[in-house]
Amino acid sequence: MPSKKTSFFITNSSHLARFRLVYKKYSKRLLDFCISLIAIICLSPILLVVAIWLHFANRGSGTFFLQERPGRNGKIFKIIKFKTMTDERDAEGNLLPDEKRLTSFGKFIRSTSLDELPQLINVLKGDMALIGPRPLLVQYLSLYSPEQARRHEVRPGITGWAQCHGRNAISWKEKFEYDVWYVDHLSFLTDLKVIYYTSLTVFKRDGIAHEGSMTMEPFNGKN
């Protein structure tokens, strides 16, 4: 017969598991919807100012960046971000390297993560969550290992466990390991930790670029 202490821990573990399941299936989405709606309303003046400023800084290249990304279970949606690069091309019509197209204002927008704010609309629509693995490029889908592909078991997020552990400064291997860890440990407490660590990362402006590049190098299935 189990002791009272053992029964206490078994009961508590059962309650925690039930709470995590309810949060994962229902509460997380409800919180995402409410928080993103309130955030859009409260941040609308900032969004408007940034949009107007980018209109001029991007030299006619547009204010918003829309691109297809895979979401939960690999379902494709269009992500919305502030555009931080121009569409400048060379004499042959090819886009210039990222570092030449990234404007000074664009660098500031990225370093403060303001470019991510329009994704609140994606969260409101249910394409994304506030917290989860970052949605990557569609062409990467066929390159993932079965373990790496598990990142799509949950909705992608504006920020995630990998973002608060190095953002673009860590390797792809580390990024995917952090993503899968989050899938296995998704809970209200984990999300609170992500919010806290992300706030520190944004404040310090850490991990904006990968070593030797203004942005993260492309994933080729090996790196």
Side-chain angles (χ1 to χ4, degrees):
M1 184 175 180
S3 65
K4 290 183 179 180
K5 187 175 182 180
T6 302
S7 298
F8 173 79
F9 282 116
I10 292 175
T11 301
N12 269 4
S13 297
S14 177
H15 287 325
L16 285 173
R18 191 177 297 113
F19 179 77
R20 285 184 62 185
L21 183 62
V22 170
Y23 176 73
K24 182 176 180 179
K25 285 195 169 185
Y26 308 105
S27 304
K28 181 176 172 68
R29 174 59 193 148
L30 180 60
L31 282 173
D32 282 342
F33 180 86
C34 294
I35 294 173
S36 59
L37 179 60
I38 293 171
I40 288 173
I41 294 171
C42 294
L43 296 173
S44 56
I46 296 176
L47 294 172
L48 181 60
V49 169
V50 172
I52 294 173
W53 201 333
L54 283 173
H55 173 74
F56 295 102
N58 290 344
R59 303 158 200 165
S61 297
T63 301
F64 296 99
F65 174 79
L66 280 76
Q67 188 179 58
E68 289 190 339
R69 298 287 177 93
R72 187 179 182 186
N73 299 321
K75 182 180 178 181
I76 307 301
F77 70 98
K78 283 191 176 180
I79 195 172
I80 310 169
K81 299 177 68 174
F82 277 129
K83 192 172 183 179
T84 56
M85 294 185 185
T86 67
D87 291 332
E88 294 175 287
R89 299 173 182 270
D90 59 23
E92 297 179 356
N94 300 312
L95 285 172
L96 295 176
D98 290 353
E99 60 269 19
K100 291 187 177 181
R101 294 188 294 119
L102 185 62
T103 65
S104 56
F105 185 59
K107 290 178 183 178
F108 170 76
I109 292 297
R110 284 194 178 193
S111 68
T112 55
S113 295
L114 288 173
D115 61 318
E116 311 286 358
L117 290 182
Q119 290 169 64
L120 290 168
I121 298 172
N122 290 122
V123 177
L124 202 62
K125 291 170 57 183
D127 298 326
M128 295 176 62
L130 292 173
I131 298 165
R134 285 293 298 153
L136 302 176
L137 299 178
V138 174
Q139 57 261 40
Y140 293 168
L141 285 173
S142 61
L143 302 177
Y144 297 139
S145 69
E147 181 70 6
Q148 292 170 345
R150 293 192 57 226
R151 69 193 310 279
H152 294 296
E153 291 178 11
V154 298
R155 284 187 179 88
I158 294 179
T159 185
W161 195 244
Q163 277 57 52
C164 57
H165 284 83
R167 299 174 74 177
N168 289 332
I170 60 176
S171 68
W172 282 109
K173 180 177 181 296
E174 292 172 306
K175 188 186 294 285
F176 292 138
E177 287 174 352
Y178 283 129
D179 288 343
V180 175
W181 185 94
Y182 176 80
V183 171
D184 290 334
H185 297 82
L186 194 162
S187 68
F188 181 66
L189 181 59
T190 300
D191 281 355
L192 285 180
K193 289 180 180 178
V194 171
I195 292 172
Y196 172 72
Y197 287 125
T198 298
S199 300
L200 292 180
T201 300
V202 171
F203 180 74
K204 295 178 180 178
R205 302 187 186 182
D206 288 338
I208 305 300
H210 192 68
E211 185 178 358
S213 174
M214 293 300 296
T215 56
M216 188 74 181
E217 62 178 2
F219 177 61
N220 58 23
K222 298 177 182 179
N223 52 354

